[in-house]
Amino acid sequence: MGSYIPNTETDRSEMLAAMGRKSIDELFANIPENVRIKDLNIPKGMAELDVTRAIASLAGENKIFSVVFRGAGAYKHYIPAAVKRITANETFTTAYTPYQAEISQGILQSIFEYQTMICELTGMDAANASVYDGASAAAEAMNMCRDRGKNNIYVSGTAHPQVIETIRTYCFGYGIPVIMIPKNTDGKTDLTALKNLLADDKAAAGIYIQSPNFFGLVEDIPGASEIAHANGALLATGVNPISLGLLESPGALGADIALGEGQPLGMPLAWGGPYLGFIACKNSLMRKLPGRIVGETTDTKGERAFVLTLQAREQHIRREKASSNICSNEAHCALTAAVYLSVMGEEGFAEAARQCHSKAIYTAKQISAISGYSLVYDGEFFNEFVTQCPDTEKALKVLEKDGILGGYPLGKSQLLWCVTELNTKDEIDRMACILKEATL
C-alpha cells in the first residue's frame, strides 16, 4: 500500500520549524499522551484491503457504552429518525458552497431558516450561518466585543476549560489581554470580583460567562449584564441550546451576544465532531457577526429569494476592515440543527429539556444518598451537577464493568455528572446501586 502523505520529511521539518515546534509529538502535546498512538504496527507493503481490516480490528477494541452519564460539552440526546433521513438527501450533501446565490437558493433558504430558529431560541435579532464549534463561537464573540480603545476581554473561570483555551488562543493572535474572573465558593462567577475588576478599566470590551456553566450551574446573567453595561462593556453568554427549552433566553436576560455548541441539536456523539458553533447577537452588533449571513429579499419578479448579506469577513470586504477571517461554516450541521428543531417542535423541544432537568434532579438525589457522596454546589442546575466522590477512579471502573460511562472526573474526589432525556429511571437506579455496593 502506498503512502497517502504527500509531503516529505524535509517538508514536515520545515513546517514544524515555521510553527516553532521540534517534533510531531510537540505539535500534538495538547492531546493526552495516554490516548496517542505511537505505532500502529502495520507491516509495510500490505494491500489496502488488509490495512482496512487491520484498522477495523483495532477500532473494534474501543469500548462503546450503552449507558452514558457524562457530558462536559458533548451530550447524548434523542435524535428523531426523520432528522437523519431528511439531511441525507443528496441535494443537501452534494451542493457547493453558496457563493453563487442565484443558483443555490435551496441551501440559502436552509441557512436562513436555521438562522431564524437560532434567533428565536436565543432571543437575539440576528444569527450567522454557524462557525466551526462552540469554542470558536465564543472566541469570535469576544472579538465582536472589541471597539475603538476597548480591547480587554474578561472570561469567567466557570466556563468550559477548552472554551477558555480557545479564547486565549484567538486573543493571543490579536494581542488582546484576557483577564480571568474568579470562581466563587458556590461554583458560580464571582460578580463582586467582576465589578471591582471593571471599576478601573476604561478599556473593558467584553465579558464571557457560560450558563449553565462548566459545573452545570445556572449563572446570574441579569446581574452580569447590569455590571457589564454599567461599565461600558458587552456581555456574551455561552449556552447549552437544549437548556433554552426550559430556561429564559440570553436575549431576555440582557446578554448582547448568545453562542454555544449546537451538537445537542440533532448531532450524535462522534469522536469530537463535526460540531456546530452557533452565534447570535442584538441588532446593534449585526455588522460584526463573523462568517456568512443569509437575508431574505425579493427578485426582479417580486418573488421571495435569499441572498448572502452583511458579511464582515475578509473575503467580501476590505481585509483591514474585516472583523473576522473565518471563511467556512458548518452548513450541513446547521441544516441538521434546523431539521431537528422542526421535527421536535416547540413542545417536543421543551419536553426534552424538562426531562433532562427532572431526571438530573432525581439522579443527584440518588447519588447524594450514598455514603461518601454529596453535592458540591447547592445552586440551581440544568442537567449537570458535581458530586464529591470517595475515589473517582474506583467508581468509574465499577460502572464500566456494567457498561456504564460515569461522570467526568474533576480530580480524584469529584465527578461531573450529566443526565439527558435518554437516561431511564432503571438506568439511574442501577448506576446508584452499583456505586452504593462499591462503597460497602
Side-chain angles (χ1 to χ4, degrees):
M1 178 182 175
S3 170
Y4 287 101
I5 300 174
N7 42 53
T8 65
E9 284 292 344
T10 303
D11 293 334
R12 279 174 253 175
S13 297
E14 288 176 355
M15 286 189 284
L16 286 169
M19 291 183 284
R21 300 290 185 270
K22 296 178 181 177
S23 66
I24 293 292
D25 281 344
E26 190 178 334
L27 179 64
F28 294 127
N30 287 337
I31 300 174
E33 192 165 352
N34 63 331
V35 300
R36 274 185 267 163
I37 297 175
K38 296 291 183 186
D39 188 359
L40 284 173
N41 195 26
I42 296 176
K44 291 183 178 178
M46 284 181 73
E48 182 175 341
L49 181 58
D50 292 333
V51 173
T52 302
R53 286 172 177 154
I55 296 294
S57 176
L58 280 173
E61 295 178 17
N62 288 319
K63 177 82 174 179
I64 299 175
F65 293 92
S66 57
V67 180
V68 176
F69 286 100
R70 185 175 296 187
Y75 302 93
K76 188 176 182 181
H77 287 285
Y78 166 67
I79 302 173
V83 174
K84 188 174 181 181
R85 176 63 190 89
I86 294 170
T87 56
N89 189 316
E90 65 177 13
T91 54
F92 292 132
T93 56
T94 59
Y96 183 58
T97 50
Y99 289 115
Q100 296 82 24
E102 69 278 10
I103 60 171
S104 304
Q105 283 295 300
I107 289 294
L108 290 179
Q109 181 175 0
S110 73
I111 293 174
F112 180 80
E113 303 295 351
Y114 159 80
Q115 291 174 178
T116 303
M117 292 177 191
I118 291 296
C119 286
E120 290 176 349
L121 205 58
T122 58
M124 292 289 169
D125 301 316
N128 68 6
S130 76
V131 292
Y132 304 132
D133 56 22
S136 57
E140 291 285 353
M142 300 323 293
N143 193 32
M144 287 173 64
C145 296
R146 296 167 60 203
D147 205 350
R148 294 170 188 169
K150 287 178 172 287
N151 275 322
N152 291 345
I153 298 300
Y154 288 80
V155 179
S156 171
T158 66
H160 195 297
Q162 292 172 347
V163 172
I164 295 174
E165 281 303 304
T166 306
I167 292 175
R168 283 187 188 280
T169 302
Y170 269 59
C171 288
F172 172 79
Y174 287 114
I176 302 171
V178 176
I179 300 109
M180 294 303 298
I181 312 165
K183 174 170 76 80
N184 233 330
T185 53
D186 63 0
K188 298 181 186 178
T189 305
D190 187 341
L191 293 184
T192 302
L194 172 62
K195 193 172 183 179
N196 293 335
L197 285 167
L198 291 177
D200 299 321
D201 188 354
K202 303 302 179 189
I207 297 157
Y208 177 73
I209 296 180
Q210 179 183 322
S211 180
N213 65 26
F214 181 62
F215 308 105
L217 299 164
V218 178
E219 294 271 7
D220 179 5
I221 297 302
S225 172
E226 187 177 338
I227 294 170
H229 295 152
N231 290 275
L234 299 173
L235 176 67
T237 304
V239 294
N240 175 340
I242 299 293
S243 74
L244 299 180
L246 192 64
L247 302 176
E248 199 78 71
S249 72
L253 296 176
D256 301 288
I257 305 171
L259 59 108
E261 175 52 63
Q263 176 269 323
L265 303 177
M267 279 145 275
L269 295 174
W271 303 98
Y275 279 1
L276 167 71
F278 65 86
I279 182 167
C281 66
K282 295 291 188 183
N283 266 331
S284 57
L285 294 166
M286 189 186 301
R287 291 181 181 274
K288 287 188 170 184
L289 265 177
R292 295 186 173 94
I293 303 169
V294 175
E296 182 183 20
T297 185
T298 54
D299 63 14
T300 54
K301 298 177 181 176
E303 295 179 351
R304 190 188 190 204
F306 301 91
V307 293
L308 290 177
T309 186
L310 286 176
Q311 296 176 95
R313 63 187 186 136
E314 50 90 15
Q315 282 183 319
H316 291 84
I317 64 175
R318 282 184 295 171
R319 181 160 296 183
E320 65 273 19
K321 297 286 186 183
S323 60
S324 168
N325 65 0
I326 197 163
C327 294
S328 300
N329 65 287
E330 299 286 287
H332 197 261
C333 291
L335 172 72
T336 302
V339 173
Y340 169 84
L341 289 168
S342 300
V343 172
M344 292 291 284
E346 190 173 336
E347 289 185 12
F349 187 69
E351 178 59 24
R354 278 194 293 270
Q355 287 202 28
C356 288
H357 182 54
S358 61
K359 289 179 176 179
I361 290 176
Y362 177 76
T363 308
K365 286 180 179 175
Q366 298 304 306
I367 295 177
S368 300
I370 302 169
S371 176
Y373 287 81
S374 60
L375 271 179
V376 174
Y377 305 116
D378 294 328
E380 291 290 331
F381 58 87
F382 172 56
N383 71 332
E384 291 183 282
F385 56 90
V386 181
T387 66
Q388 203 65 35
C389 173
D391 186 332
T392 57
E393 190 175 340
K394 180 182 175 183
L396 293 175
K397 279 186 176 177
V398 295
L399 291 174
E400 185 179 334
K401 287 180 182 176
D402 213 45
I404 298 174
L405 180 63
Y408 181 78
L410 303 176
K412 294 182 178 179
S413 61
Q414 292 184 357
L415 285 169
L416 172 64
W417 301 90
C418 174
V419 186
T420 72
E421 75 278 16
L422 285 181
N423 295 113
T424 66
K425 182 176 180 297
D426 286 346
E427 290 174 358
I428 297 167
D429 290 342
R430 179 157 61 93
M431 181 267 288
C433 183
I434 293 169
L435 289 180
K436 187 176 181 180
E437 289 178 356
T439 61
L440 297 177

